[in-house]
Amino acid sequence: MAETSDPRSGEKALDQIDLEKQESHFAPIVSTPDDIDCLALEQTASRVSNHDMHPVVSYIEAGDEVYDRLSLTRKHIITAILSLCGFLAPISSTTVLAAVPEVAETFNTTGTIINLSNALYMVFMGISPVFWGPLGQCYGRRWICIYALVMFLAFSIGSALAPNLVAFFIFRILTAFQGTCLLIVGASCIGDIFRPTERASGLGWFLSGTLIGPAFGPFIGGIIVTFKSWRDIFWLQSALGGLALVLVFFFLPETIHYKRSEQLQGMTRKQYIKTMWEWTNPWRVLKLYKYPNLLIVGMASSSLVWNMYSLLTPIRYVLNPRFHLTTPLQSGLFYIAPGCGYLLGTFFGGRWADYIVKKWIRKRGRRVPEDRLRSALVAMLVVAFSMLIYGWSVEKAVGGVPLPVIVMFIQGIAQLFCFPSLNTYCLDVMQRRSAEVVAGNYLLRYLFAALGSATCLPAIEKIGVGWFSTISCVFIVVSTGFVMLTTHSGEKMRNWIEGNKEEAEEPAQQETKETKT
């Protein structure tokens, strides 16, 4: 019982385990030349594609046996279910965009006010991760996911039945708060079941749901609102939420390697409450930004999400007058271009990120998390300059319909080369606190998504779509520069922070010992 009397000592011990686990993850088991000759004579099934194979080194990390608990088929099923869960909250954020004028007419308000509800949706998608991340680390993934889906289903039904504008805002906000949980838990589950050298491929499929949702959402909404009431959008959302709930309940096992709640056994009620507050305190997530590498990757993700929602939100208001479109369905067709890009990028983005990791393992003889970021650098610049071309082609009325469609498609592909790299880095860099690191990343990115959704239409009306696209381009280019810096200095950043942390803790520990003496 002495160990549980001071919850802080348990937390420090767990943090020490985190550091030791990170160090052990970077310790490769490399075959000797004799071993390789022997292995070459055996015919064994390989999970590595031909372009990834290397005849000299077989890289296995210490502790990797934990990823063999589930079969590859089971992992694929789990990834598909999680991708559907990740599809829900983002699609809800944009499906209503095609129906903004109709929703505004129902509630006797303006399109700007309805877009504000979408911005608030993003704000609460950004706020909720600081609660879900720590809870996922403490109680595991499965039951947190089930609870979030039940609430998501209930509030989606509330949005469909909203009698007035206030109720519509409230139910939308509550739906967003639950929906982000599925993104945090889903990414953490992928980190639980896939090895670091395979993780980006699995995460790429998961992220396809989170990105295809926002792109195809307005197209689906356009079809619905052209022939039915806008309320049917939320009935469809409710049906998808119900399907996801059934699949998760029956087919998603608990994937977390270690639940922190196991340390709570034997505690008094007072100790339990105190420890739970320390573990689930949202400040735990915010404190992670003392690591410059996490802040930089968070800002890079934010620049891409800002760009995505700044592109998708005003399409009906920008392209309808530009190309003389008259129905929601016609403008909804433009969302197919980035959506198809996201879908195509799913097949290559994650695999490319894993390939780059394996390539640098062969060069270094060990895995460094920052090497994964190299796979995103060129793609981020492609996204930036695609946005620039899109904005000015619409502003200057050049290129007709094909040019903006082509650059939106290219941008979609490029984003699926960026996000698997950036998101998997969050899982790799602090494995035992992965849910909290991912939560911090989503906090930042969806706050910028909210800012982009709220400001894009007024800004475009004020300065034009060309200059607004230029702002988005510059944001991404600057972020790319900092990501490049992190690929070269991220390991030093982490070591410097940990070194200062140890130096700060030593005098405090010495003072505590002297006081006790």
Side-chain angles (χ1 to χ4, degrees):
M1 295 297 295
E3 293 181 2
T4 59
S5 61
D6 183 5
R8 293 182 183 275
S9 63
E11 185 168 353
K12 288 181 180 178
L14 197 64
D15 288 342
Q16 182 62 33
I17 293 173
D18 289 345
L19 295 174
E20 291 172 359
K21 185 137 182 121
Q22 287 178 41
E23 292 171 0
S24 69
H25 267 295
F26 303 149
I29 300 174
V30 182
S31 303
T32 64
D34 292 337
D35 293 333
I36 294 163
D37 291 338
C38 295
L39 290 171
L41 298 176
E42 298 183 22
Q43 296 184 6
T44 57
S46 173
R47 291 178 295 174
V48 184
S49 59
N50 289 336
H51 70 275
D52 286 343
M53 294 182 69
H54 193 275
V56 179
V57 179
S58 176
Y59 183 85
I60 303 173
E61 293 188 358
D64 265 12
E65 62 277 359
V66 73
Y67 301 109
D68 295 326
R69 294 181 302 165
L70 301 172
S71 68
L72 188 59
T73 300
R74 189 79 184 278
K75 292 178 182 179
H76 289 165
I77 292 172
I78 291 171
T79 302
I81 293 171
L82 293 173
S83 185
L84 172 61
C85 294
F87 179 79
L88 295 176
I91 194 175
S92 179
S93 69
T94 60
T95 311
V96 75
L97 292 180
V100 166
E102 288 74 17
V103 178
E105 183 180 358
T106 299
F107 295 127
N108 297 316
T109 185
T110 64
T112 301
I113 296 298
I114 301 303
N115 277 334
L116 179 60
S117 77
N118 226 42
L120 287 173
Y121 186 95
M122 299 295 177
V123 168
F124 279 83
M125 281 188 75
I127 292 173
S128 66
V130 301
F131 300 96
W132 293 121
L135 284 172
Q137 290 294 119
C138 185
Y139 290 109
R141 323 298 192 199
R142 173 177 157 78
W143 284 106
I144 293 292
C145 191
I146 290 173
Y147 169 81
L149 280 168
V150 170
M151 293 295 102
F152 183 89
L153 174 59
F155 296 133
S156 295
I157 294 172
S159 299
L161 297 173
N164 53 53
L165 186 62
V166 173
F168 180 76
F169 267 63
I170 292 173
F171 283 122
R172 290 277 289 155
I173 286 170
L174 292 174
T175 304
F177 194 88
Q178 313 303 320
T180 316
C181 173
L182 306 174
L183 305 181
I184 306 303
V185 172
S188 300
C189 286
I190 297 296
D192 293 339
I193 64 178
F194 286 102
R195 283 180 169 83
T197 52
E198 305 168 336
R199 193 170 286 159
S201 298
L203 198 64
W205 284 100
F206 169 72
L207 290 173
S208 67
T210 68
L211 294 174
I212 290 171
F216 279 104
F219 172 63
I220 296 170
I223 295 175
I224 291 174
V225 80
T226 299
F227 301 103
K228 295 285 186 178
S229 166
W230 62 266
R231 295 182 186 274
D232 289 331
I233 292 172
F234 294 101
W235 286 118
L236 174 62
Q237 177 181 306
S238 302
L240 291 173
L243 173 62
L245 176 59
V246 171
L247 293 175
V248 166
F249 187 83
F250 287 105
F251 298 107
L252 180 67
E254 181 54 71
T255 62
I256 195 170
H257 302 164
Y258 175 77
K259 293 182 185 179
R260 299 193 75 180
S261 58
E262 294 176 10
Q263 298 182 49
L264 300 173
Q265 296 178 7
M267 287 189 178
T268 65
R269 184 177 181 83
K270 183 177 180 181
Q271 290 172 336
Y272 181 93
I273 293 173
K274 182 179 180 182
T275 304
M276 280 302 301
W277 170 247
E278 290 178 354
W279 287 353
T280 60
N281 185 347
W283 183 244
R284 281 180 59 86
V285 174
L286 298 176
K287 282 199 302 184
L288 289 172
Y289 283 124
K290 69 183 178 183
Y291 295 91
N293 55 320
L294 296 182
L295 179 60
I296 288 171
V297 171
M299 290 302 296
S301 300
S302 300
S303 69
L304 294 169
V305 174
W306 157 282
N307 174 79
M308 182 171 70
Y309 281 94
S310 297
L311 172 69
L312 298 177
T313 299
I315 278 184
R316 186 167 175 183
Y317 289 92
V318 171
L319 296 186
N320 275 29
R322 164 68 180 86
F323 296 114
H324 311 292
L325 308 177
T326 57
T327 68
L329 180 57
Q330 288 175 325
S331 56
L333 291 172
F334 279 91
Y335 291 94
I336 295 178
C340 289
Y342 296 142
L343 188 60
L344 182 61
T346 297
F347 295 97
F348 305 103
R351 295 180 182 183
W352 171 250
D354 283 339
Y355 169 76
I356 293 298
V357 168
K358 294 170 187 175
K359 175 182 175 182
W360 280 87
I361 285 173
R362 294 195 290 267
K363 286 185 177 182
R364 296 180 186 273
R366 66 189 181 100
R367 181 174 63 87
V368 176
E370 283 73 22
D371 286 337
R372 184 179 297 280
L373 297 176
R374 299 174 188 274
S375 62
L377 295 174
V378 173
M380 288 183 69
L381 294 177
V382 171
V383 173
F385 290 105
S386 295
M387 185 65 175
L388 191 67
I389 295 170
Y390 165 82
W392 285 107
S393 69
V394 174
E395 175 83 16
K396 299 299 182 181
V398 296
V401 172
L403 184 56
V405 167
I406 289 170
V407 293
M408 289 165 78
F409 173 73
I410 293 172
Q411 184 177 161
I413 296 175
Q415 287 199 55
L416 251 299
F417 276 78
C418 298
F419 280 119
S421 176
L422 298 173
N423 283 41
T424 309
Y425 177 76
C426 294
L427 296 173
D428 289 349
V429 74
M430 289 184 180
Q431 176 69 38
R432 287 184 64 92
R433 296 185 65 182
S434 60
E436 294 175 13
V437 178
V438 172
N441 190 273
Y442 274 98
L443 165 68
L444 203 57
R445 70 168 68 177
Y446 277 110
L447 290 179
F448 273 92
L451 186 62
S453 297
T455 61
C456 62
L457 196 53
I460 288 172
E461 291 172 349
K462 185 79 172 178
I463 62 175
V465 65
W467 283 111
F468 185 76
S469 299
T470 302
I471 293 172
S472 296
C473 174
V474 171
F475 188 11
I476 298 175
V477 169
V478 172
S479 298
T480 305
F482 280 104
V483 172
M484 188 179 297
L485 174 66
T486 305
T487 61
H488 294 287
S489 306
E491 192 173 16
K492 294 179 182 178
M493 294 178 192
R494 288 187 281 112
N495 293 337
W496 179 75
I497 290 288
E498 292 300 337
N500 288 347
K501 182 180 177 182
E502 291 175 4
E503 291 176 5
E505 286 179 351
E506 285 178 3
Q509 293 172 356
Q510 183 64 30
E511 184 179 344
T512 302
K513 289 180 181 178
E514 292 175 356
T515 303
K516 289 181 178 179
T517 303

